[in-house]
Amino acid sequence: MSSLINNNFNNDTMTILNYQGSKKQLLDFIYNKSVEYIDENKAFMDIFSGSSAVGYAMKRNFQIYSNDSELYSYNIAKALVENNTRLEIAPLFNNVRMNYNNNYENLYEIFGKYLDEEQLLINNKNEEELVNFYKRYPCIWNKETEFKLFNGRIKTISDIQNYKSNIPFMLFTTYYANSYFGIQQSFDIDSIRYAIEIEQNEVVKSVLFSALFFAMKECVFSKDGHMAQPLDKDKNSSKLLKIRSRSIMQKFEEKLAEFGTDDFVISDKNNKTFNLDFNDLLKEKNILNDVGFIYADPPYTDMQYSRYYHLLNTLVLYDYPQISLTRGVLSNGLYREGRFQSNLSKKSKATEEINELFRSCKENKINIGLSFAYPQDPINQPTNRYTMDISKIIEIAELYYGKKNVKVEGLDYEHANNRNSSSKKVIEYLILGIN
């Protein structure tokens, strides 16, 4: 198999999101324990790519096939893994800014009075009035405030869906400008998104999306940079003022610049990205025939990733979605209807899904490495949110590959969030099935 020696991954990382379960700090462990089982003549598939930490790091040595069922992840993979161009950032940003300005001016004509009031309150550092201002700001879903545009033709989400081709890009300004983001920030998001729509190159589009994802993560008014639900404005008024002062455009430009530096990893390999449920991908024999190793870092708790990053999928789709209801009431997170629900995050389905993954890999003579973080002390540490048990996963691996062909590597590790001082002690397992 692979004859490559240990890699130093310190520079082969690019942060787009504060991603739950990211393996960015574990790249050496994953590489060193799996490299001898990776066929250099075939593709390395990152089948649950997430933030593409593993795929991007492995890109220097292998051809990478990257897959994720979530649209935002697909775009990150396209930007980091499939993209093998050191972009000319200055002309690209100039094009973005020109198109951005067109949409921004149209938004200002409609919502300018709200933007001016917001900026005054932020500049004066008036926390209490800023909170009250957002409570008055009309959003399309809020029946307690009057929302009426274009001589009353747009009053509801259904109206805005009907007229969306005839109006400026205003999804975030009309949905989230009093919760997750402010008005200036929403103007920026909508106007950058308008510029992305005009871009013709699909890989460049994904680069622009990824830079905007990063900016949104840096400016969102929610816990830890995730987007599961906005913070309570009354209880977090000082934080509200601080975060509303951040610039989406500035953060976007800073991240975009990284794609043009010498540090951005490019290769001469034909890397590919897919946006499929992994079960559907495993049925694509023409793809699997190219693959020699599958790296799997699946969801393994009951927390749906689409809940934490739903705004990013909405940004890509830009479809003015209906907001889901919980017991007849709008969800606190303003989740879009019909967001993806992974069976791997359901206790009734997860084990069956992992069984299918190992079965398919063995049937197609593909080596597999599956990452799984489990509490170091499962007796005294809670495991109720886990949808699978580590012993059951090892049992499944041995069922298909045989005990002698399954290697279980472990590393003591402390999971910690980028913005949260708390951590939990886990064992990072890498379960290898070898043909």
Side-chain angles (χ1 to χ4, degrees), residues 216-233:
M216 291 168 65
K217 180 265 292 187
E218 288 292 293
C219 298
V220 68
F221 184 59
S222 65
K223 186 178 180 181
D224 303 328
H226 299 146
M227 302 172 195
Q229 62 185 46
L231 293 171
D232 185 294
K233 290 185 282 291

Side-chain angles (χ1 to χ4, degrees), residues 362 396-407 434:
K362 180 59 180 177
I396 291 171
E398 292 176 345
L399 171 66
Y400 290 105
Y401 284 87
K403 283 191 175 184
K404 66 178 183 179
N405 295 318
V406 172
K407 295 184 181 297
I434 305 153

Side-chain angles (χ1 to χ4, degrees), residues 151 299 341 369:
N151 296 321
Q341 303 283 307

